[in-house]
Amino acid sequence: MLLRRAGPALFGSRAAISASAEIDPIPYSGRMAKIQANADLVTRMRTALLEWYERSRRDLPWRRSRDPYAIWVSEIMLQQTRVAVVVERYQAFMARFPTVAALARASEQEVLALWSGLGYYRRARMLHKAAQLVVADRGGVMPETAADLRTLPGVGGYTSAAIASIAHGEPIAVVDGNVERVLCRLAGWDANSGKGSADLRNRIEAMAARLLDPGRPGDFNQAVMELGATVCVPRNPQCLVCPLSAGCKTRGEHKTAPRPQTATREVAHALCVRTAPDATGSDGRLDCEVLLEQRPAKSSVMPGLWELPALRGGACEADHVRMTVRHAIMQVNYIVRIRDVREEDVVARTVAGGDRRWVSLREAATMALTGLARKVLHRAGLLPARHPDSEASEAGILAMA
């Protein structure tokens, strides 16, 4: 009942608590007891959440390190991308670029090649640019405070708070989508009303700061995010096992935004493969080459990445289809028809959209391919499945490439 009566002021700033006390018609001694009770409740919630986190947290590779660079890479990868996809890609990325200096020395194409399939390629470019600035301006030493971290390209309030609290113990709260959902449910706030969004954001941030455990800020921030990712999920939350359910004003009745409507589009691409001239592999077989096209550097969508040429007319007759694949990008589900096209027919049957060249399959495996191109080449048996779970992970490319 205490949580229901206190409402937002319970987890707000000191100013909010004081304001509540000033208008509360309770004698001074009663008001002090009420404020102290609120503090005691916050302490109990911190303890319950951290104990749950110790028991239930997932064993993720970036949680085994306090290296700010490693944490930075993981936080950038996790934006708009499922944890299951990130785990494998993170390990490969860190093996290739174990330090900020190693990342800074790499070419953009090398970075994009390891990012291929994760989507939101702008993240990779900004990460690479920021690494170069850290090496050039700071001697390869990452900033330690959230305020200094925010000076790096591509590092905003959430990412800077996550790095500073986890790597350096700075008592600063993180607020991402999972945290917003948890706190709104705790306080009984309607996060989908569309009204007073700035005010709601301020209340959420104040509540996050009030709840933060200053002694273990990194663990606490990860605990709230973990709770939102695994228990207090958008639909069908597991309230029976939630460590904060006793003080929650929602208990699974929280309104959720309707799922965005998806559109379906059909596109067609050419798969052009030839035997490499005078090229024999180590196994004695002739090497093959595939025709790839690099998107223009000034393109608003996936600049610099390599893809399969588009078929002229954007369609493929049914009797010429080699394979059909599905590929989701944001709220669009693409049905992609793939047709084999001979070298001598390339000009007539495809539309040039960028620089083209014939590439050996060994080289193609290391290039910055679009997720769709990598998926098609894998299904055609031309590339190994380097990261099979990433086939559906390229959502969001159109918005932030």
Side-chain angles (χ1 to χ4, degrees), residues 11 42 45-46 183 186 206-214 220:
F11 301 105
V42 168
M45 294 178 75
R46 289 171 179 167
L183 299 189
L186 275 173
M207 183 175 179
R210 173 74 170 120
L211 283 176
L212 180 71
D213 189 325
F220 187 86

Side-chain angles (χ1 to χ4, degrees), residues 180-191:
E180 285 187 5
R181 182 169 59 256
V182 170
L183 299 189
C184 282
R185 284 175 171 171
L186 275 173
W189 297 330
D190 182 0

Side-chain angles (χ1 to χ4, degrees), residues 2 6 9-10 14 16-22 24 26 28-42 210:
L2 178 58
L10 172 59
R14 290 185 179 180
I17 294 175
S18 298
S20 176
E22 288 174 2
D24 194 335
I26 300 176
Y28 176 77
S29 60
R31 292 200 302 270
M32 293 306 294
K34 179 180 177 181
I35 293 172
Q36 183 59 51
N38 292 345
D40 290 343
L41 177 58
V42 168
R210 173 74 170 120

Side-chain angles (χ1 to χ4, degrees), residues 129-319:
K129 180 179 179 181
Q132 292 175 328
L133 290 176
V134 168
V135 171
D137 300 341
R138 304 180 62 92
V141 179
M142 290 278 295
E144 294 188 3
T145 67
D148 287 342
L149 284 162
R150 290 195 69 168
T151 65
L152 298 178
V155 177
Y158 162 76
T159 304
S160 62
I163 299 169
S165 64
I166 297 170
H168 301 294
E170 182 176 345
I172 181 171
V174 302
V175 178
D176 69 348
N178 285 323
V179 174
E180 285 187 5
R181 182 169 59 256
V182 170
L183 299 189
C184 282
R185 284 175 171 171
L186 275 173
W189 297 330
D190 182 0
N192 300 302
S193 64
K195 299 178 181 179
S197 57
D199 175 66
L200 177 61
R201 178 71 182 187
N202 290 337
R203 285 190 286 161
I204 291 171
E205 291 179 350
M207 183 175 179
R210 173 74 170 120
L211 283 176
L212 180 71
D213 189 325
R216 297 176 60 186
D219 285 343
F220 187 86
N221 282 331
Q222 292 182 92
V224 182
M225 291 187 287
E226 185 82 344
L227 187 70
T230 62
V231 174
C232 193
V233 291
R235 289 169 177 78
N236 300 317
Q238 303 174 44
C239 300
L240 292 178
V241 297
C242 177
L244 303 181
S245 61
C248 182
K249 297 184 71 173
T250 302
R251 301 284 184 88
E253 299 172 0
H254 191 64
K255 295 179 181 178
T256 57
R259 292 183 182 273
Q261 292 186 343
T262 59
T264 300
R265 288 185 57 190
E266 295 191 10
V267 295
H269 288 270
L271 181 58
C272 312
V273 180
R274 72 179 186 184
T275 300
D278 303 321
T280 304
S282 58
D283 57 0
R285 289 194 238 173
L286 290 177
D287 280 343
C288 289
E289 294 180 332
V290 61
L291 182 64
L292 296 175
E293 185 173 276
Q294 187 177 37
R295 298 194 62 81
K298 294 183 179 180
S299 172
S300 62
V301 181
M302 296 179 285
L305 269 70
W306 295 84
E307 63 183 350
L308 300 174
L311 280 175
R312 191 175 295 279
C316 179
E317 301 86 350
D319 55 344

